[in-house]
Amino acid sequence: MENKALNAEIISVGTELLLGHTTNTDARDISLMLSEIGINVKYHTVVGDNPQRLADCIEIAKRRADIIISTGGLGPTCDDLTKMILAQSFGLELEMNEDERACLYDYLTNKGYSKTMTENNLQQAMLPKGCTVFHNDWGTAPGCAFEKDGKIVIMIPGPPKECNAMFGSCAVPYLRSLSDETIVSHAIHVFGMSESALDQLFREEMNAMTNPTMAPYAKESDCLLQITAKAKDAETAEEMMKPVIEHCLDVLGDVVFGIDIDSVEERVFKLLRENKLTFAAAESCTGGDLARRFTDIPGASEFFLGGAVTYTNGAKSAMLGIDPKLIEEKGAVSREVAKEMAERIRAKLGADLGIGVTGLAGPDGDGVHEVGTVFVSLAAPGETFVRELHVGNRRTRSYIRRVSGNYIFDMMRRYMLGLPVIPE
């Protein structure tokens, strides 16, 4: 692999993707992994299980991409044609890989699936002659890679669990091995600044940079700044990136919630551990999503004492003890009710911190507030903070829940770091 920026195209094969029966998470996951090793994904293509259309897509990809990555179409059924079409497109023959054949037989007969292996399963062990085989430790169909006509071709199974694991464990090391350079990347995660604002802030610098490089990426309700360097070894690449990262952190300030971290709640988890604090949650429009997100982290029970989903006015009174007159006077979606929710759940469960959220996730408003109006609150010893959000009346319910949760976790992060809980 030449020492230049390589462009990739991901071809996702499967009629079920076109019909909407299956969400194409494979292309997203592979794109994220490629960005971490400095490979640019230029195109995502989805094509049904049709040999001629797939062949046409491959010919287009050959003209515009250095790396062609296919997902799906490697199984035992008659519509699994990806290997055959890709091999034909590059003038390669398929041959039986005896090691994979033996593994298939062992997997299918000794795992209790069947006493015999049906003939159609053998097509999974038919692979392009001379390819690098990616054994599938997560399913049956092996993947593979080869280089031909100046192109790098990688084939990966379609089921997301298999695709994600095989690409990370097999394809990424394979791509790294083709270069005499080491590619290292770090992601600066930001909440409270948009991707476009990040781009505007660093545009001149990014356009002038060649190695290291910077690029902003938008996520569902936050964004990140990816810093990537190529060097003879990882230590040199890290040294090259160090002043760039320090500069970015200095410019961005307290909107950065972490480096190489999965989510803002993960950052909160670490801060709760460092500060030996606990919290409890009272949720309305988020419907328990805050509790779910935090308890997805192993060890969450050490810091999360519990929560209440008080979705109705009656539940807010019965479960939290909020005066019905207050709800009637101020409305369930109000600064006052959000404050009460956080303070009362904190007191009831004896937590160090209490959080509350009440708002309108849609599709209907309440005659007073527009959809996307949310009040988030944080009750701490001696003080309660309430923030009014307007996160968009054209957004989906899931987005409004997600971004509201990010604001709450960010308030917790700011409090524990001694930053302004509600930034100016």
Side-chain angles (χ1 to χ4, degrees):
M1 188 164 64
E2 296 180 14
N3 296 327
K4 64 174 186 176
L6 295 175
N7 298 323
E9 177 160 354
I10 301 171
I11 301 177
S12 303
V13 183
T15 302
E16 69 278 7
L17 300 173
L18 291 174
L19 295 175
H21 296 162
T22 302
T23 301
N24 186 14
T25 59
D26 290 349
R28 175 201 65 193
D29 295 340
I30 289 173
S31 294
L32 287 171
M33 285 185 269
L34 289 175
S35 72
E36 292 176 359
I37 59 172
I39 293 174
N40 304 314
V41 177
K42 293 296 186 182
Y43 304 97
H44 283 185
T45 299
V46 180
V47 61
D49 300 303
N50 180 285
Q52 186 57 55
R53 291 175 199 148
L54 176 55
D56 292 343
C57 289
I58 293 167
E59 289 305 311
I60 293 170
K62 287 167 73 173
R63 294 195 294 268
R64 65 188 186 183
D66 305 300
I67 304 171
I68 301 171
I69 300 165
S70 71
T71 66
L74 304 184
T77 61
C78 61
D79 60 354
D80 289 317
L81 303 171
T82 302
K83 275 183 299 188
M84 182 182 73
I85 304 302
L86 264 167
Q88 288 177 355
S89 297
F90 283 89
L92 297 175
E93 295 180 3
L94 295 179
E95 62 180 7
M96 180 63 66
N97 184 291
E98 294 299 332
D99 289 338
E100 289 301 324
R101 178 178 181 170
C103 289
L104 269 172
Y105 180 82
D106 177 68
Y107 186 93
L108 293 171
T109 58
N110 292 339
K111 297 283 186 180
Y113 295 107
S114 174
K115 292 182 179 179
T116 60
M117 183 172 69
T118 58
E119 191 71 18
N120 60 348
N121 274 294
L122 291 176
Q123 77 178 45
Q124 296 178 91
M126 296 290 291
L127 297 167
K129 190 173 182 178
C131 73
T132 298
V133 180
F134 298 154
H135 179 68
N136 192 342
D137 287 320
W138 309 271
T140 57
C144 64
F146 63 82
E147 291 182 76
K148 187 84 186 307
D149 302 333
K151 306 297 178 183
I152 300 165
V153 178
I154 295 174
M155 290 179 258
I156 301 291
K161 183 178 179 181
E162 298 175 39
C163 175
N164 199 313
M166 184 182 288
F167 199 86
S169 299
C170 304
V172 168
Y174 172 83
L175 290 168
R176 287 186 185 276
S177 72
L178 299 178
S179 174
D180 58 4
E181 287 187 311
T182 297
I183 301 171
V184 181
S185 184
H186 293 296
I188 300 174
H189 291 265
V190 171
F191 181 72
M193 180 178 289
S194 67
E195 180 195 22
S196 58
L198 272 178
D199 178 80
Q200 188 68 31
L201 196 59
F202 294 105
R203 177 174 294 183
E204 290 186 12
E205 295 171 66
M206 289 190 293
N207 289 338
M209 295 172 72
T210 55
N211 188 26
T213 61
M214 286 196 299
Y217 295 95
K219 298 173 68 179
E220 184 185 21
S221 53
D222 54 88
C223 57
L224 61 87
L225 190 62
Q226 194 88 33
I227 317 294
T228 303
K230 295 180 183 180
K232 62 181 180 179
D233 53 51
E235 183 178 353
T236 303
E238 293 285 2
E239 284 300 314
M240 292 168 62
M241 285 188 291
K242 186 176 179 180
V244 177
I245 292 173
E246 289 176 351
H247 167 67
C248 291
L249 294 178
D250 183 57
V251 171
L252 292 169
D254 61 13
V255 297
V256 174
F257 66 80
I259 299 177
D260 299 333
I261 196 166
D262 287 338
S263 62
V264 65
E265 59 264 32
E266 184 179 325
R267 177 67 169 134
V268 166
F269 177 90
K270 293 176 180 178
L271 289 170
L272 289 167
R273 172 173 285 165
E274 291 172 12
N275 290 277
K276 297 181 174 56
L277 297 176
T278 60
F279 80 101
E283 303 184 53
S284 184
C285 64
T286 49
D289 193 51
L290 295 176
R292 178 198 60 77
R293 286 172 60 177
F294 193 82
T295 56
D296 277 346
I297 304 172
S301 60
E302 186 177 350
F303 311 106
F304 180 58
L305 300 188
V309 180
T310 55
Y311 207 63
T312 65
N313 293 350
K316 291 177 178 64
S317 298
M319 298 175 70
L320 299 176
I322 299 176
D323 189 343
K325 292 182 180 178
L326 177 68
I327 299 174
E328 183 178 357
E329 178 185 349
K330 300 296 183 180
V333 179
S334 64
R335 182 177 298 273
E336 291 79 7
V337 169
K339 180 175 184 292
E340 287 281 304
M341 291 172 70
E343 291 176 347
R344 288 177 179 271
I345 196 68
R346 175 177 179 263
K348 280 183 174 293
L349 295 186
D352 297 305
L353 304 173
I355 59 177
V357 54
T358 179
L360 294 169
D364 301 319
D366 61 359
V368 178
H369 304 97
E370 64 178 2
V371 171
T373 302
V374 182
F375 291 90
V376 292
S377 56
L378 170 65
E383 189 171 8
T384 301
F385 307 89
V386 183
R387 185 170 185 176
E388 181 176 348
L389 309 176
H390 296 275
V391 295
N393 61 5
R394 296 182 183 273
R395 296 288 192 170
T396 63
R397 289 171 62 84
S398 62
Y399 173 85
I400 292 171
R401 288 195 295 265
R402 179 78 185 177
V403 75
S404 298
N406 276 13
Y407 273 105
I408 291 174
F409 287 128
D410 194 58
M411 288 170 72
M412 295 175 68
R413 174 187 74 89
R414 288 174 168 276
Y415 174 80
M416 287 184 283
L417 288 174
L419 301 169
V421 174
I422 301 175
E424 296 181 0

